[in-house]
Amino acid sequence: IPIIAACCMAGMPDRVVGAVRIHEAEPGVWRGSRLAVHEDHRRLGRIGAELIRMAVSTAHGLGATRFLAQVQEQNVLFFRRLHWKSLGAMTLHGLPHHDMQADLSRYPAHGLDQTWLLRPQPRNRQVA
């Protein structure tokens, strides 16, 4: 199941700026893979964290009892801050990774097809 983050213009999706995919590896065990955020949007808001939240909460709503991902070592601390734990280190494609598991109690199940991450913009009020 692909999950995307899109920028909107005038309330309509304009371009994809991030994505992650999830699948059920075996009954009750779900995995996330290929988390990506466009370079221009990596430091804007919480796009990566929100994609992870949406992925895990979606799988949880579909019956996940475990949610796992293979995470590149440089991103392990980021995932730990999001309530994931390392199950052990490994090497994939010549790069250090960790097999990690999400704490499902921190990711409530939902049955939504879409969620919106809105960043409030400051409003300048004119005084009469």
Side-chain angles (χ1 to χ4, degrees), residues 8-125:
C8 294
M9 182 156 311
M12 298 297 294
D14 181 49
R15 67 187 177 284
V16 173
V17 297
V20 66
R21 62 185 182 190
I22 62 173
H23 73 279
E24 189 173 25
E26 58 187 75
V29 179
W30 284 71
R31 285 196 164 269
S33 60
R34 300 294 187 196
L35 173 67
V37 176
H38 188 282
E39 186 175 12
D40 293 344
H41 296 270
R42 288 185 189 151
R43 303 249 183 251
L44 302 173
R46 298 175 34 89
I47 294 172
E50 288 300 313
L51 282 165
I52 292 166
R53 180 190 59 78
M54 183 67 171
V56 180
S57 293
T58 298
H60 198 181
L62 293 170
T65 56
R66 292 181 76 199
F67 192 94
L68 307 166
Q70 294 169 334
V71 177
Q72 291 179 5
E73 184 149 358
Q74 73 264 19
N75 297 320
V76 167
L77 182 58
F78 173 67
F79 276 78
R80 283 189 175 140
R81 285 188 206 122
L82 298 174
H83 310 286
W84 289 60
K85 68 177 179 181
S86 175
L87 302 177
M90 66 182 70
T91 301
L92 292 173
H93 309 291
L95 298 172
H97 284 68
H98 283 246
D99 201 21
M100 298 192 77
Q101 180 174 328
D103 178 353
L104 289 181
S105 72
R106 300 293 193 137
Y107 294 89
H110 68 73
L112 304 175
D113 291 338
Q114 286 185 352
T115 63
W116 298 94
L117 170 62
L118 300 175
R119 219 175 345 191
Q121 300 297 317
R123 290 177 49 173
N124 294 330
R125 292 187 177 213

